[in-house]
Amino acid sequence: MKEEIIRISKINNIDKIGFCNIKNLKIPYEKYKLQETLNYKCSFQVGDLSDKSLINKKYNIYNTVIVILVSYNKVDFSDKSCVSLSSCAYGRDYHLELKDKMQDICEYLKDNGYIYKTYVDNNPLDERLLAYNAGLGFFGKNNLLINEDIGSYFFIGEILTDAVIESDKIQNNKCIGCNKCIKVCPTHALNDNGILNSKRCLSYLTQSKKLDENDYKYFDNCIYGCDKCISICPYNNIIKEVKNEIDIDEFLSMSSEEYKNKYSSNASYWRGKKVLDRNINIYLNNLKKKK
C-alpha cells in the first residue's frame, strides 16, 4: 500500500511524501506551553493541545497521517519601487492546488475500504510538526521546516486515514545555526529561545485588520505576508526566483467585482481588498518618508 501511494504521489507531481503513526507522535509539549505562557499565539492559531497531539476524540478513528510537500517558487522583492504578494500567494491558491494533488490518493484509499480526511493550512493541526514526524525535514530557527532537498519553499497537505501504514523515520538533521533569520526579522518576532512570537510576525501583521500605527514602519514592499526569514535561509539559495509585481494604480482603482474576478483564485483573496489597499498605502507613505 505504501509503495502504491508513493507511486500515485509522483504521478501527481508531489515533491515529497511521508507517513507517521498518529498514536506515536513526537510532540514538543514544553514549546507549546511556553508559547502560551509568553502570550505569543496570534488569532490565526486555532485549536488546542489535543489538536496538535491528535488525542482529541475527533481523531480517534484515524491511525496514520500521510503528509505531502509541494514546492513553490521564491518571489524576487529586490525592486523596492514595486509591491508584490508573498511567495506563498504566487499563482493559484495552494489550498485548491494541494486538495487536487491529494485526490487520487484519497480515491485509492476509498477504493480499498479506508476512510480519510484531508487538511490544507487553515485547520487546528500543527502541519509542520506532522511533516517532521513523517520524516520530511527538521526545524530552523525561524520555526519553519527545512527539507534538505527542497528547502522551505513548500506547502504542506495532510491526509488522515484509518489505514495502518509504516511510519517514516524522523530526521535528526539540525539547523546550521547561522542566525540569519533572527537578524533579518524586522519586528524581532524570532528570538534565541526558539519560540516564534506570532503576534509580532510581520506576515501576521500584514494580514491583520487592526494595526498599531507604530508597526507601519516595518512594512516593506511585500503587501501580503513576509518572506524575509525564509528567503535568507541558506537552504533556500537554490529556489527559483520569479516576479510577482502588482500594478499599484490598477490595484487601488479596482472595484470589488474586478478584484474578485482577478484574485478569487489567489491565496490572498480571503483577506479582502481593503486590507491590501491599506498595506499598499502604508508602503507608499513609508517610501515618501525615505525620500
mmCIF file of all heavy atoms in Angstrom, residues 77-110:
data_model
loop_
_atom_site.group_PDB
_atom_site.id
_atom_site.type_symbol
_atom_site.label_atom_id
_atom_site.label_comp_id
_atom_site.label_asym_id
_atom_site.label_seq_id
_atom_site.Cartn_x
_atom_site.Cartn_y
_atom_site.Cartn_z
ATOM 1 N N PHE A 77 11.910 40.234 -4.331
ATOM 2 C CA PHE A 77 11.444 41.501 -3.761
ATOM 3 C C PHE A 77 12.498 42.599 -3.847
ATOM 4 O O PHE A 77 12.386 43.623 -3.186
ATOM 5 C CB PHE A 77 11.060 41.305 -2.287
ATOM 6 C CG PHE A 77 9.815 40.499 -2.078
ATOM 7 C CD1 PHE A 77 9.893 39.140 -1.788
ATOM 8 C CD2 PHE A 77 8.565 41.080 -2.174
ATOM 9 C CE1 PHE A 77 8.745 38.380 -1.589
ATOM 10 C CE2 PHE A 77 7.411 40.336 -1.979
ATOM 11 C CZ PHE A 77 7.508 38.985 -1.687
ATOM 12 N N SER A 78 13.528 42.379 -4.647
ATOM 13 C CA SER A 78 14.657 43.305 -4.668
ATOM 14 C C SER A 78 14.309 44.691 -5.220
ATOM 15 O O SER A 78 14.923 45.689 -4.838
ATOM 16 C CB SER A 78 15.816 42.710 -5.474
ATOM 17 O OG SER A 78 15.414 42.446 -6.806
ATOM 18 N N ASP A 79 13.333 44.760 -6.105
ATOM 19 C CA ASP A 79 12.925 46.056 -6.662
ATOM 20 C C ASP A 79 11.958 46.736 -5.694
ATOM 21 O O ASP A 79 10.768 46.431 -5.655
ATOM 22 C CB ASP A 79 12.267 45.858 -8.028
ATOM 23 C CG ASP A 79 11.932 47.177 -8.719
ATOM 24 O OD1 ASP A 79 12.107 48.241 -8.085
ATOM 25 O OD2 ASP A 79 11.485 47.146 -9.878
ATOM 26 N N LYS A 80 12.456 47.663 -4.908
ATOM 27 C CA LYS A 80 11.655 48.317 -3.872
ATOM 28 C C LYS A 80 10.697 49.375 -4.430
ATOM 29 O O LYS A 80 9.948 50.002 -3.680
ATOM 30 C CB LYS A 80 12.572 48.962 -2.828
ATOM 31 C CG LYS A 80 13.476 47.980 -2.104
ATOM 32 C CD LYS A 80 12.691 46.936 -1.321
ATOM 33 C CE LYS A 80 13.591 45.992 -0.578
ATOM 34 N NZ LYS A 80 12.853 44.970 0.206
ATOM 35 N N SER A 81 10.709 49.561 -5.752
ATOM 36 C CA SER A 81 9.802 50.540 -6.351
ATOM 37 C C SER A 81 8.437 49.937 -6.675
ATOM 38 O O SER A 81 7.529 50.649 -7.126
ATOM 39 C CB SER A 81 10.425 51.118 -7.630
ATOM 40 O OG SER A 81 10.525 50.120 -8.629
ATOM 41 N N CYS A 82 8.295 48.636 -6.481
ATOM 42 C CA CYS A 82 7.010 47.988 -6.754
ATOM 43 C C CYS A 82 6.631 47.064 -5.599
ATOM 44 O O CYS A 82 7.467 46.688 -4.787
ATOM 45 C CB CYS A 82 7.064 47.190 -8.065
ATOM 46 S SG CYS A 82 8.298 45.894 -8.056
ATOM 47 N N VAL A 83 5.350 46.739 -5.530
ATOM 48 C CA VAL A 83 4.863 45.868 -4.465
ATOM 49 C C VAL A 83 4.529 44.485 -5.025
ATOM 50 O O VAL A 83 4.248 44.334 -6.210
ATOM 51 C CB VAL A 83 3.618 46.461 -3.755
ATOM 52 C CG1 VAL A 83 3.962 47.759 -3.075
ATOM 53 C CG2 VAL A 83 2.457 46.622 -4.728
ATOM 54 N N SER A 84 4.562 43.502 -4.135
ATOM 55 C CA SER A 84 4.281 42.119 -4.530
ATOM 56 C C SER A 84 3.552 41.399 -3.414
ATOM 57 O O SER A 84 3.553 41.840 -2.255
ATOM 58 C CB SER A 84 5.582 41.370 -4.834
ATOM 59 O OG SER A 84 6.355 42.021 -5.807
ATOM 60 N N LEU A 85 2.935 40.287 -3.768
ATOM 61 C CA LEU A 85 2.374 39.373 -2.779
ATOM 62 C C LEU A 85 3.461 38.389 -2.364
ATOM 63 O O LEU A 85 4.407 38.139 -3.116
ATOM 64 C CB LEU A 85 1.187 38.608 -3.375
ATOM 65 C CG LEU A 85 -0.016 39.435 -3.813
ATOM 66 C CD1 LEU A 85 -1.012 38.548 -4.560
ATOM 67 C CD2 LEU A 85 -0.697 40.084 -2.622
ATOM 68 N N SER A 86 3.322 37.812 -1.194
ATOM 69 C CA SER A 86 4.265 36.817 -0.713
ATOM 70 C C SER A 86 4.412 35.664 -1.704
ATOM 71 O O SER A 86 3.522 35.387 -2.510
ATOM 72 C CB SER A 86 3.789 36.275 0.637
ATOM 73 O OG SER A 86 4.577 35.177 1.052
ATOM 74 N N SER A 87 5.518 34.972 -1.608
ATOM 75 C CA SER A 87 5.769 33.826 -2.485
ATOM 76 C C SER A 87 4.671 32.773 -2.377
ATOM 77 O O SER A 87 4.329 32.119 -3.362
ATOM 78 C CB SER A 87 7.113 33.187 -2.124
ATOM 79 O OG SER A 87 8.163 34.115 -2.239
ATOM 80 N N CYS A 88 4.104 32.626 -1.192
ATOM 81 C CA CYS A 88 3.052 31.615 -0.996
ATOM 82 C C CYS A 88 1.760 31.986 -1.710
ATOM 83 O O CYS A 88 0.864 31.149 -1.860
ATOM 84 C CB CYS A 88 2.791 31.387 0.489
ATOM 85 S SG CYS A 88 1.985 32.766 1.329
ATOM 86 N N ALA A 89 1.658 33.257 -2.150
ATOM 87 C CA ALA A 89 0.456 33.716 -2.856
ATOM 88 C C ALA A 89 0.716 33.893 -4.344
ATOM 89 O O ALA A 89 -0.036 34.582 -5.027
ATOM 90 C CB ALA A 89 -0.045 35.025 -2.247
ATOM 91 N N TYR A 90 1.775 33.285 -4.829
ATOM 92 C CA TYR A 90 2.073 33.349 -6.260
ATOM 93 C C TYR A 90 1.295 32.247 -6.978
ATOM 94 O O TYR A 90 1.349 31.088 -6.586
ATOM 95 C CB TYR A 90 3.578 33.159 -6.480
ATOM 96 C CG TYR A 90 3.989 33.125 -7.941
ATOM 97 C CD1 TYR A 90 4.129 34.306 -8.666
ATOM 98 C CD2 TYR A 90 4.231 31.925 -8.588
ATOM 99 C CE1 TYR A 90 4.512 34.287 -10.000
ATOM 100 C CE2 TYR A 90 4.615 31.895 -9.923
ATOM 101 C CZ TYR A 90 4.751 33.070 -10.620
ATOM 102 O OH TYR A 90 5.115 33.047 -11.935
ATOM 103 N N GLY A 91 0.547 32.615 -8.005
ATOM 104 C CA GLY A 91 -0.198 31.610 -8.766
ATOM 105 C C GLY A 91 -1.520 31.223 -8.109
ATOM 106 O O GLY A 91 -2.079 31.959 -7.298
ATOM 107 N N ARG A 92 -2.007 30.040 -8.464
ATOM 108 C CA ARG A 92 -3.298 29.553 -7.975
ATOM 109 C C ARG A 92 -3.251 29.246 -6.487
ATOM 110 O O ARG A 92 -2.227 28.804 -5.958
ATOM 111 C CB ARG A 92 -3.686 28.284 -8.755
ATOM 112 C CG ARG A 92 -5.051 27.703 -8.409
ATOM 113 C CD ARG A 92 -5.393 26.548 -9.331
ATOM 114 N NE ARG A 92 -6.682 25.946 -9.021
ATOM 115 C CZ ARG A 92 -6.847 24.690 -8.624
ATOM 116 N NH1 ARG A 92 -5.792 23.894 -8.478
ATOM 117 N NH2 ARG A 92 -8.053 24.216 -8.369
ATOM 118 N N ASP A 93 -4.347 29.471 -5.812
ATOM 119 C CA ASP A 93 -4.486 29.218 -4.379
ATOM 120 C C ASP A 93 -4.002 27.808 -4.031
ATOM 121 O O ASP A 93 -4.509 26.812 -4.537
ATOM 122 C CB ASP A 93 -5.962 29.376 -3.987
ATOM 123 C CG ASP A 93 -6.184 29.323 -2.485
ATOM 124 O OD1 ASP A 93 -5.312 28.806 -1.762
ATOM 125 O OD2 ASP A 93 -7.246 29.778 -2.038
ATOM 126 N N TYR A 94 -3.006 27.747 -3.156
ATOM 127 C CA TYR A 94 -2.418 26.455 -2.810
ATOM 128 C C TYR A 94 -3.382 25.523 -2.075
ATOM 129 O O TYR A 94 -3.221 24.299 -2.122
ATOM 130 C CB TYR A 94 -1.141 26.638 -1.991
ATOM 131 C CG TYR A 94 -1.326 27.301 -0.640
ATOM 132 C CD1 TYR A 94 -1.574 26.559 0.495
ATOM 133 C CD2 TYR A 94 -1.222 28.685 -0.502
ATOM 134 C CE1 TYR A 94 -1.718 27.161 1.741
ATOM 135 C CE2 TYR A 94 -1.376 29.293 0.728
ATOM 136 C CZ TYR A 94 -1.614 28.530 1.847
ATOM 137 O OH TYR A 94 -1.765 29.135 3.068
ATOM 138 N N HIS A 95 -4.397 26.076 -1.417
ATOM 139 C CA HIS A 95 -5.397 25.222 -0.771
ATOM 140 C C HIS A 95 -6.087 24.338 -1.821
ATOM 141 O O HIS A 95 -6.275 23.130 -1.619
ATOM 142 C CB HIS A 95 -6.456 26.066 -0.054
ATOM 143 C CG HIS A 95 -5.895 26.969 1.004
ATOM 144 N ND1 HIS A 95 -5.473 28.245 0.724
ATOM 145 C CD2 HIS A 95 -5.706 26.771 2.335
ATOM 146 C CE1 HIS A 95 -5.039 28.804 1.841
ATOM 147 N NE2 HIS A 95 -5.168 27.941 2.829
ATOM 148 N N LEU A 96 -6.437 24.961 -2.930
ATOM 149 C CA LEU A 96 -7.087 24.230 -4.020
ATOM 150 C C LEU A 96 -6.100 23.294 -4.716
ATOM 151 O O LEU A 96 -6.434 22.149 -5.055
ATOM 152 C CB LEU A 96 -7.658 25.223 -5.036
ATOM 153 C CG LEU A 96 -8.624 26.287 -4.505
ATOM 154 C CD1 LEU A 96 -8.991 27.267 -5.606
ATOM 155 C CD2 LEU A 96 -9.881 25.636 -3.932
ATOM 156 N N GLU A 97 -4.891 23.784 -4.923
ATOM 157 C CA GLU A 97 -3.872 23.021 -5.633
ATOM 158 C C GLU A 97 -3.540 21.714 -4.909
ATOM 159 O O GLU A 97 -3.475 20.636 -5.515
ATOM 160 C CB GLU A 97 -2.609 23.877 -5.770
ATOM 161 C CG GLU A 97 -1.642 23.436 -6.839
ATOM 162 C CD GLU A 97 -2.152 23.682 -8.244
ATOM 163 O OE1 GLU A 97 -2.844 24.682 -8.489
ATOM 164 O OE2 GLU A 97 -1.847 22.834 -9.099
ATOM 165 N N LEU A 98 -3.339 21.798 -3.597
ATOM 166 C CA LEU A 98 -2.971 20.602 -2.836
ATOM 167 C C LEU A 98 -4.135 19.632 -2.698
ATOM 168 O O LEU A 98 -3.934 18.412 -2.716
ATOM 169 C CB LEU A 98 -2.426 20.987 -1.454
ATOM 170 C CG LEU A 98 -0.894 21.117 -1.401
ATOM 171 C CD1 LEU A 98 -0.418 22.279 -2.252
ATOM 172 C CD2 LEU A 98 -0.402 21.271 0.027
ATOM 173 N N LYS A 99 -5.331 20.155 -2.549
ATOM 174 C CA LYS A 99 -6.511 19.278 -2.486
ATOM 175 C C LYS A 99 -6.605 18.445 -3.768
ATOM 176 O O LYS A 99 -6.892 17.248 -3.727
ATOM 177 C CB LYS A 99 -7.780 20.115 -2.312
ATOM 178 C CG LYS A 99 -7.926 20.789 -0.964
ATOM 179 C CD LYS A 99 -8.540 19.878 0.067
ATOM 180 C CE LYS A 99 -8.846 20.637 1.356
ATOM 181 N NZ LYS A 99 -9.471 19.783 2.391
ATOM 182 N N ASP A 100 -6.344 19.095 -4.903
ATOM 183 C CA ASP A 100 -6.374 18.386 -6.187
ATOM 184 C C ASP A 100 -5.300 17.311 -6.241
ATOM 185 O O ASP A 100 -5.538 16.198 -6.711
ATOM 186 C CB ASP A 100 -6.170 19.371 -7.350
ATOM 187 C CG ASP A 100 -7.397 20.224 -7.607
ATOM 188 O OD1 ASP A 100 -8.461 19.928 -7.042
ATOM 189 O OD2 ASP A 100 -7.278 21.207 -8.374
ATOM 190 N N LYS A 101 -4.104 17.639 -5.767
ATOM 191 C CA LYS A 101 -2.985 16.709 -5.838
ATOM 192 C C LYS A 101 -3.188 15.492 -4.916
ATOM 193 O O LYS A 101 -2.645 14.412 -5.176
ATOM 194 C CB LYS A 101 -1.680 17.420 -5.484
ATOM 195 C CG LYS A 101 -1.197 18.374 -6.571
ATOM 196 C CD LYS A 101 0.137 18.993 -6.207
ATOM 197 C CE LYS A 101 0.638 19.920 -7.308
ATOM 198 N NZ LYS A 101 0.935 19.208 -8.564
ATOM 199 N N MET A 102 -3.969 15.672 -3.848
ATOM 200 C CA MET A 102 -4.206 14.564 -2.917
ATOM 201 C C MET A 102 -5.395 13.691 -3.307
ATOM 202 O O MET A 102 -5.602 12.614 -2.741
ATOM 203 C CB MET A 102 -4.424 15.113 -1.489
ATOM 204 C CG MET A 102 -3.187 15.721 -0.873
ATOM 205 S SD MET A 102 -3.389 16.126 0.896
ATOM 206 C CE MET A 102 -4.469 17.544 0.809
ATOM 207 N N GLN A 103 -6.181 14.159 -4.282
ATOM 208 C CA GLN A 103 -7.433 13.488 -4.618
ATOM 209 C C GLN A 103 -7.238 12.032 -5.045
ATOM 210 O O GLN A 103 -7.992 11.146 -4.623
ATOM 211 C CB GLN A 103 -8.162 14.254 -5.718
ATOM 212 C CG GLN A 103 -9.569 13.748 -6.017
ATOM 213 C CD GLN A 103 -10.466 13.736 -4.793
ATOM 214 O OE1 GLN A 103 -10.459 14.673 -3.998
ATOM 215 N NE2 GLN A 103 -11.227 12.664 -4.607
ATOM 216 N N ASP A 104 -6.247 11.760 -5.870
ATOM 217 C CA ASP A 104 -6.035 10.381 -6.345
ATOM 218 C C ASP A 104 -5.634 9.440 -5.210
ATOM 219 O O ASP A 104 -6.006 8.265 -5.212
ATOM 220 C CB ASP A 104 -4.973 10.362 -7.445
ATOM 221 C CG ASP A 104 -5.505 10.883 -8.772
ATOM 222 O OD1 ASP A 104 -6.740 11.022 -8.903
ATOM 223 O OD2 ASP A 104 -4.692 11.159 -9.669
ATOM 224 N N ILE A 105 -4.866 9.958 -4.247
ATOM 225 C CA ILE A 105 -4.504 9.140 -3.082
ATOM 226 C C ILE A 105 -5.759 8.822 -2.274
ATOM 227 O O ILE A 105 -5.962 7.693 -1.822
ATOM 228 C CB ILE A 105 -3.467 9.864 -2.201
ATOM 229 C CG1 ILE A 105 -2.168 10.073 -2.977
ATOM 230 C CG2 ILE A 105 -3.204 9.071 -0.915
ATOM 231 C CD1 ILE A 105 -1.128 10.897 -2.239
ATOM 232 N N CYS A 106 -6.606 9.836 -2.113
ATOM 233 C CA CYS A 106 -7.865 9.638 -1.378
ATOM 234 C C CYS A 106 -8.762 8.612 -2.074
ATOM 235 O O CYS A 106 -9.386 7.766 -1.423
ATOM 236 C CB CYS A 106 -8.598 10.963 -1.238
ATOM 237 S SG CYS A 106 -7.750 12.187 -0.213
ATOM 238 N N GLU A 107 -8.823 8.676 -3.394
ATOM 239 C CA GLU A 107 -9.630 7.714 -4.167
ATOM 240 C C GLU A 107 -9.082 6.304 -3.996
ATOM 241 O O GLU A 107 -9.848 5.342 -3.881
ATOM 242 C CB GLU A 107 -9.631 8.108 -5.648
ATOM 243 C CG GLU A 107 -10.440 9.357 -5.974
ATOM 244 C CD GLU A 107 -11.924 9.182 -5.681
ATOM 245 O OE1 GLU A 107 -12.443 8.055 -5.847
ATOM 246 O OE2 GLU A 107 -12.563 10.172 -5.280
ATOM 247 N N TYR A 108 -7.772 6.189 -3.968
ATOM 248 C CA TYR A 108 -7.137 4.877 -3.762
ATOM 249 C C TYR A 108 -7.509 4.317 -2.384
ATOM 250 O O TYR A 108 -7.856 3.134 -2.253
ATOM 251 C CB TYR A 108 -5.625 5.005 -3.885
ATOM 252 C CG TYR A 108 -4.875 3.762 -3.476
ATOM 253 C CD1 TYR A 108 -4.813 2.652 -4.312
ATOM 254 C CD2 TYR A 108 -4.232 3.697 -2.234
ATOM 255 C CE1 TYR A 108 -4.131 1.498 -3.927
ATOM 256 C CE2 TYR A 108 -3.551 2.559 -1.838
ATOM 257 C CZ TYR A 108 -3.504 1.461 -2.689
ATOM 258 O OH TYR A 108 -2.843 0.314 -2.292
ATOM 259 N N LEU A 109 -7.455 5.166 -1.359
ATOM 260 C CA LEU A 109 -7.820 4.733 -0.008
ATOM 261 C C LEU A 109 -9.288 4.308 0.040
ATOM 262 O O LEU A 109 -9.638 3.261 0.610
ATOM 263 C CB LEU A 109 -7.564 5.859 1.001
ATOM 264 C CG LEU A 109 -6.096 6.220 1.262
ATOM 265 C CD1 LEU A 109 -6.013 7.513 2.064
ATOM 266 C CD2 LEU A 109 -5.380 5.087 2.003
ATOM 267 N N LYS A 110 -10.132 5.106 -0.561
ATOM 268 C CA LYS A 110 -11.572 4.816 -0.598
ATOM 269 C C LYS A 110 -11.846 3.496 -1.310
ATOM 270 O O LYS A 110 -12.639 2.670 -0.830
ATOM 271 C CB LYS A 110 -12.309 5.955 -1.288
ATOM 272 C CG LYS A 110 -13.819 5.782 -1.341
ATOM 273 C CD LYS A 110 -14.460 6.973 -2.055
ATOM 274 C CE LYS A 110 -15.970 6.793 -2.170
ATOM 275 N NZ LYS A 110 -16.589 7.946 -2.893
#
